Amino acid sequence: MAKSEAGSRYIYGIDALRFVCALMVTVFHLGFASWASPFYLRPYKMPLIENVAQPGWVGVELFFVISGLVIVNSAASASAMSFLKGRILRLYPAVWICASLTLIVIATEDVNRRIIKNYLRSITLYPGGPWIDGQYWTLACEICFYALVFIMCAAGQKTRMPALALGLSLASTAFIFLLSAFPDSATLAIFTDTAWRAIPFYYGCQFAIGIYIWLLSQGRMNRIAWVGLICALVTGAVQIYMAGLSTSDRTLAAAGHSFSPFPALSIWLAGLIFIVASVGYSERISRLPNSLLRLVKTLGSMTYPLYLLHFAIGVQLLDWLTALGMTPLIALALAVAIVCAMSLAVCKWGEPPIRSALRSAFDRLGQRASGLRTKESRV
């Protein structure tokens, strides 16, 4: 839930940005990486939109910033167990549906023991991977951050979120500095190119920025927090710049030219400004017409299933549609429309009954546990 602590106002701007980020990542993967990345190299190309699609990868970093804000805000008014329950109810229903849909589409081409194992890892959110779709790696990063917040809640240290933000900032800054000094280090690459990237070294600064935005909204910034925020912003910018160079290097051969990291850096900065404005003007935004606000909220709900569905299914749709004779750009537009429609169906009709069943199961477990405690106290 994108809510602000002050007055528990719903932050509709965050939902809007989430959906835009999901579209950016979708267009990047389908409109650029699918043919320009050496991992995929489809037979079609879309050079007409490459400059628009290429920097879309930065949507992932903005997702992490949003998580830093929203998750810490959720934890502020929750117990450790209610926080954990909320994360389970948020993550698992969509994963069960989307991973199953992805498996069905993949099975039209090939299904084997490895794919089944990847599917099982996905529906359990096993953080080590590999998964049914490579994009699930970001969930491992999210879960690692959730674990840190959960530990603080369980330890009764929720008031020390500034310390968590500072720790993430300093750890990420040290790691990015070492990565800049030793770009060819195999040891450092473990935390950028393998499942160990879930540990918030490379992306920790992005989560920290989100926490600092929340602290700003609560009026809880002191001198140390301001230093930590500046540190996180500088490190975050360097991380975006380095990621932009890396993405450009990987796609140089197929695209025929390199890409500047500055468009992605500009999008990231604009996203940060939009997040701050969304929090600061949340009350005014909430006065907009209800029909518009409901639409924005629906788009925000579509974001998670869209991210889970877009790549493996989207690329397969592109393959099918271009094989039918469609031009790549028309196939891209139709593929994006189809995965968006699937995402809407998942969030509207797929997730709610599963989430309701899980919530009922948790309630029954809580009642049983409460009954057992009552019996023990009587004895």
Side-chain angles (χ1 to χ4, degrees):
M1 295 287 283
K3 288 188 177 180
S4 166
E5 180 90 345
S8 296
R9 292 188 298 270
Y10 197 90
I11 309 176
Y12 289 95
I14 296 298
D15 275 341
L17 182 60
R18 275 175 169 159
F19 184 72
V20 170
C21 289
L23 277 183
M24 285 168 47
V25 175
T26 298
V27 174
F28 165 70
H29 281 138
L30 303 187
F32 182 75
S34 64
W35 58 268
S37 170
F39 299 116
Y40 313 114
L41 294 177
R42 304 325 248 204
Y44 46 79
K45 290 190 176 184
M46 304 181 206
L48 288 177
I49 64 165
E50 63 180 19
N51 289 324
V52 174
Q54 193 274 339
W57 55 266
V58 79
V60 170
E61 273 81 353
L62 287 172
F63 277 140
F64 293 152
V65 175
I66 292 171
S67 287
L69 165 66
V70 173
I71 298 307
V72 170
N73 181 69
S74 298
S77 57
S79 65
M81 292 311 298
S82 63
F83 174 79
L84 179 61
K85 176 183 173 182
R87 291 303 90 207
I88 291 173
L89 292 174
R90 171 62 177 150
L91 293 179
Y92 277 96
V95 162
W96 291 342
I97 298 170
C98 295
S100 299
L101 290 172
T102 302
L103 177 64
I104 291 170
V105 172
I106 290 175
T108 62
E109 299 294 322
D110 176 42
V111 63
N112 52 51
R113 184 177 297 179
R114 177 183 59 82
I115 291 173
I116 297 300
K117 287 182 178 179
N118 292 349
Y119 170 73
L120 294 175
R121 292 189 188 98
S122 301
I123 62 174
T124 56
L125 288 179
Y126 175 70
W131 307 277
I132 192 74
D133 190 330
Q135 310 321 309
Y136 280 57
W137 70 266
T138 60
L139 296 185
C141 296
E142 297 275 3
I143 289 171
C144 189
F145 175 64
Y146 298 166
L148 292 174
V149 176
F150 173 77
I151 290 170
M152 295 195 72
C153 291
Q157 301 295 316
K158 289 194 297 183
T159 59
R160 302 195 66 184
M161 291 302 175
L164 174 61
L166 182 62
L168 289 170
S169 299
L170 295 179
S172 189
T173 298
F175 180 79
I176 296 295
F177 173 80
L178 289 173
L179 195 61
S180 301
F182 307 100
D184 299 323
S185 170
T187 301
L188 296 177
I190 293 174
F191 298 99
T192 59
D193 300 332
T194 72
W196 287 98
R197 62 182 164 181
I199 297 176
F201 292 149
Y202 191 52
Y203 298 103
C205 51
Q206 308 295 346
F207 290 109
I209 291 170
I211 298 175
Y212 282 122
I213 293 174
W214 179 78
L215 291 171
L216 276 168
S217 73
Q218 304 303 301
R220 293 177 56 185
M221 295 290 287
N222 54 30
R223 290 183 180 179
I224 295 177
W226 280 108
V227 171
L229 173 58
I230 293 171
C231 181
L233 287 170
V234 172
T235 302
V238 173
Q239 187 261 311
I240 297 292
Y241 184 84
M242 293 172 63
L245 293 177
S246 176
T247 302
S248 178
D249 289 344
R250 288 199 304 270
T251 58
L252 178 61
H257 58 90
S258 60
F259 292 88
S260 169
F262 288 107
L265 189 58
S266 299
I267 294 171
W268 177 74
L269 288 171
L272 297 185
I273 294 170
F274 187 87
I275 293 171
V276 172
S278 296
V279 175
Y281 294 97
S282 60
E283 186 174 3
R284 292 186 182 182
I285 294 171
S286 66
R287 296 172 188 165
L288 293 172
N290 287 333
S291 57
L292 177 60
L293 297 179
R294 284 196 300 269
L295 173 61
V296 170
K297 197 170 183 179
T298 297
L299 293 176
S301 298
M302 289 171 57
T303 298
Y304 182 38
L306 176 58
Y307 184 80
L308 296 177
L309 291 170
H310 79 273
F311 189 69
I313 293 178
V315 169
Q316 188 61 68
L317 286 170
L318 282 176
D319 289 348
W320 288 338
L321 294 172
T322 53
L324 290 173
M326 288 188 184
T327 63
L329 288 179
I330 293 177
L332 172 65
L334 186 54
V336 171
I338 291 172
V339 293
C340 283
M342 294 174 67
S343 303
L344 178 62
V346 170
C347 75
K348 278 288 188 181
W349 302 290
E351 291 183 84
I354 297 176
R355 188 171 291 125
S356 178
L358 276 176
R359 187 176 287 110
S360 297
F362 282 133
D363 290 342
R364 288 194 296 270
L365 287 174
Q367 290 170 2
R368 290 180 183 178
S370 178
L372 288 173
R373 286 195 296 267
T374 301
K375 289 181 180 179
E376 289 175 356
S377 64
R378 288 175 179 175
V379 172

